[in-house]
Amino acid sequence: PGGSFEGGIVNKSVFAHMKAAMPTCTDGIHKCQMSGERDQLQCLCAYMYCTLTEMLPVLRSGRNPYDLRKACPDRGNPLCYNETLNTLFMNDPQVQEAFGVHHHMPWAVCNMTVTLEFMLSGDYFRDLRPQVVELLAAGVGVLVYSGDDDFMVDWLGSKLWMNALDWPYRVEWAAAEDRSFYVDGRKRGTVRTAHGLTFVQVYDAGHLVPMDQPEVALAMVK
């Protein structure tokens, strides 16, 4: 509702199975978090279960999960983007030297050795809401934005956790108005803000908002 992507990705039967599996997925995440992300087996099981039940059905559709408007041209590429130029740039010895990497190291967009450590450590499920509250209490503004064609960090989920955030202005933020976000005279999304906490839903954008809507991204952070 309210997104710029029209139509569904999975059929009603698949959606029903995804919805039925969500409580078990959520319970596994909570158990991982309650262990302080120290129970590696619990965290890994939660990651695998949630991936199988909630992510794979969307991946099977052939859509780019980072931008549901687009097809994924290469099923073997988990990011569904052509990262050739990025990879060449990051593997350039002069670039690595400028970054302080004095002994050349191969760079990859997705390093599965690193990814495995994130999975086992429970980092994917780490609850950072207390840090958000801490920043707000210190007078530091917090901006959360989502391209509304992104599945991986979907705008509905982002707005949901912000609505439920346990902080002194929870009621005020939940009651705040969603206003149109205009850039160059065109409506490019919606924005809600109150007491330093801001959420922007960016229209016609996937996970990579600065790539899909560069003018909007610049206006958003000004």
Side-chain angles (χ1 to χ4, degrees):
S4 55
F5 183 77
E6 297 181 2
I9 299 300
V10 298
N11 61 38
K12 291 183 179 179
S13 175
V14 173
F15 175 75
H17 281 92
M18 293 172 68
K19 188 175 181 179
M22 183 58 75
T24 303
C25 170
T26 303
D27 183 62
I29 292 173
H30 287 162
K31 288 178 178 176
C32 171
Q33 292 174 337
M34 288 173 62
S35 76
E37 294 87 33
R38 288 188 294 271
D39 188 337
Q40 291 190 345
L41 181 59
Q42 176 61 56
C43 293
L44 180 60
C45 287
Y47 177 88
M48 293 177 63
Y49 182 85
C50 294
T51 298
L52 289 171
T53 60
E54 308 301 331
M55 189 179 298
L56 283 188
V58 175
L59 297 181
R60 291 194 196 101
S61 72
R63 296 275 185 173
N64 180 343
Y66 295 95
D67 190 338
L68 294 171
R69 300 170 298 171
K70 304 172 184 177
C72 186
D74 180 5
R75 296 288 188 94
N77 179 358
L79 294 183
C80 295
Y81 290 103
N82 186 341
E83 301 285 353
T84 303
L85 293 178
N86 298 5
T87 302
L88 289 173
F89 178 79
M90 294 299 296
N91 280 298
D92 186 317
Q94 291 183 333
V95 171
Q96 292 198 359
E97 181 70 27
F99 285 155
V101 182
H102 303 301
H103 300 284
H104 178 72
M105 299 177 65
W107 182 90
V109 175
C110 280
N111 184 305
M112 295 313 297
T113 301
V114 175
T115 298
L116 182 61
E117 290 300 318
F118 276 100
M119 291 165 55
L120 292 175
S121 69
D123 189 88
Y124 279 123
F125 298 139
R126 184 159 296 170
D127 184 359
L128 297 177
R129 287 174 297 181
Q131 285 84 344
V132 173
V133 173
E134 183 179 356
L135 287 170
L136 291 167
V140 179
V142 174
L143 167 67
V144 179
Y145 67 90
S146 293
D148 68 2
D149 297 311
D150 182 15
F151 171 74
M152 300 302 282
V153 184
D154 67 283
W155 71 274
L156 291 169
S158 295
K159 203 168 185 180
L160 186 66
W161 74 256
M162 294 176 76
N163 268 318
L165 187 67
D166 187 12
W167 66 307
Y169 299 104
R170 175 178 178 177
V171 174
E172 289 87 343
W173 198 89
E177 180 184 0
D178 289 328
R179 300 189 177 188
S180 298
F181 185 65
Y182 285 93
V183 177
D184 296 331
R186 294 172 54 200
K187 184 178 179 180
R188 310 300 290 273
T190 64
V191 58
R192 179 187 297 190
T193 187
H195 299 280
L197 181 62
T198 301
F199 174 72
V200 180
Q201 172 192 347
V202 183
Y203 292 165
D204 299 312
H207 195 72
L208 307 179
V209 170
M211 181 182 78
D212 295 332
Q213 299 291 347
E215 298 89 354
V216 179
L218 180 59
M220 183 174 59
V221 299
K222 280 186 175 180

